[in-house]
Amino acid sequence: MGRFLTFAMVAPIASFGSLAVGEERGSWERPARSAVLGLIASCLGLTREEEEAHRKLSDSCGIAILYHSSKTTIRDFHTAQMAQTQRNEYYSTRADEIMRGKLSTLVSKRDYRTGIWHVGALWLRDHAGGWSLEQLQEAMNKPVFTPYLGRKSCPLALPLAPEIIEADTASEALLIRYENGKEVKIALNDEDDDKSGNLQKNDNKETNEIKKKSRNNLINSFFYTSWNRDNTKTKTFREYFTGKDDNDDVRIAMDAQDVPDHQGAFEVTHYINRRDQPISRVKWEFGLRSEALLTLKKEKRA
């Protein structure tokens, strides 16, 4: 039985950058290992210049991600002025380029993923690191720097809500968190409000009724909620947020080297190489990593 620090990564939009070549800035469906480590480092308050601390964090942590999103992308366009390439013409600074160069406009495209509802599981490897799971949990509860998913324009919709779970494998810990995490219990109707305690009770019944109506109106307008005649929800909050069925296949990603110990009931679908193993954050250097993608079919879910 192992111990795993699980946490939620929920956001309306996120950018999980792929290789950025030329004017295209694509986005993976799931975060890179370097992105998750960077998220944890920001909670700890590590700066880019603290290379040794980043190395210890990377070496000591195993990471697996359960990724659940809408698969829908939106595209943002950016424009920037730049000097046209000319033979034997060099610029020492950006200001020099603007002053002396013959300017043209470059249009770049950035893709974002929508309806992000990912779950992460972190465990400590055998070799010693600088932090315990409890210390990392405390950092996630009280982050030093503001956590976001990929870009600063992609803030979290819900807290990370770190929770330590005991399980045989990382895949089992992820499934437990996915099905029973705090974020899953967010209610959409009045009946669930009473059970989950989302609305604070007081003696003024009229005030409580206004709060409930106001909250339901917000949900109706933002999530286009459909209701049955008995005023119960037909979908969960997560289903509205992601646009996907909660009972669909469950997919996770982890290092290929961790598959023998943490595969569990999941089946490996394929392996892929990603350049997301952090080497130097100051120099923006990343090494290749073999990633395994695993699936648990909905027919096999208990």
Side-chain angles (χ1 to χ4, degrees), residues 130-157:
W131 300 271
S132 66
L133 289 184
E134 286 76 13
Q135 288 173 320
L136 295 176
Q137 181 182 27
E138 178 66 18
M140 288 185 179
N141 277 322
K142 299 177 181 179
V144 177
F145 300 127
T146 302
Y148 51 85
L149 295 186
R151 294 195 177 102
K152 290 183 179 180
S153 57
C154 306
L156 296 173

Side-chain angles (χ1 to χ4, degrees), residues 17 31-41 54 57-58 63 255 274-279 281 284-287 289:
R33 174 177 169 84
S34 58
V36 178
L37 288 171
L39 181 70
I40 299 169
H54 282 287
L57 181 65
S58 178
I63 295 173
D255 287 358
R274 298 185 70 175
R275 190 171 290 278
D276 63 355
Q277 179 64 41
I279 298 175
R281 292 195 179 272
W284 288 84
E285 292 180 354
F286 302 92
R289 176 183 67 96

Side-chain angles (χ1 to χ4, degrees), residues 19 28 30 256 271-276 287-292:
L19 291 178
W28 291 81
R30 59 197 180 279
Y271 294 91
I272 187 172
N273 288 329
R274 298 185 70 175
R275 190 171 290 278
D276 63 355
L288 284 174
R289 176 183 67 96
S290 180
E291 181 181 65

Side-chain angles (χ1 to χ4, degrees), residues 44-89:
L44 290 168
L46 300 182
T47 63
R48 291 186 181 275
E49 290 72 26
E50 297 178 73
E51 297 270 22
E52 183 62 22
H54 282 287
R55 186 191 63 77
K56 286 183 178 180
L57 181 65
S58 178
D59 290 346
S60 63
C61 292
I63 295 173
I65 302 296
L66 187 154
Y67 53 104
H68 182 92
S69 64
S70 68
K71 293 187 177 181
T72 303
T73 60
I74 58 176
R75 174 159 287 189
D76 187 19
F77 295 89
H78 286 226
T79 59
Q81 285 187 317
M82 60 178 295
Q84 296 179 4
T85 303
Q86 300 183 52
R87 180 176 295 181
N88 299 325
E89 191 73 37

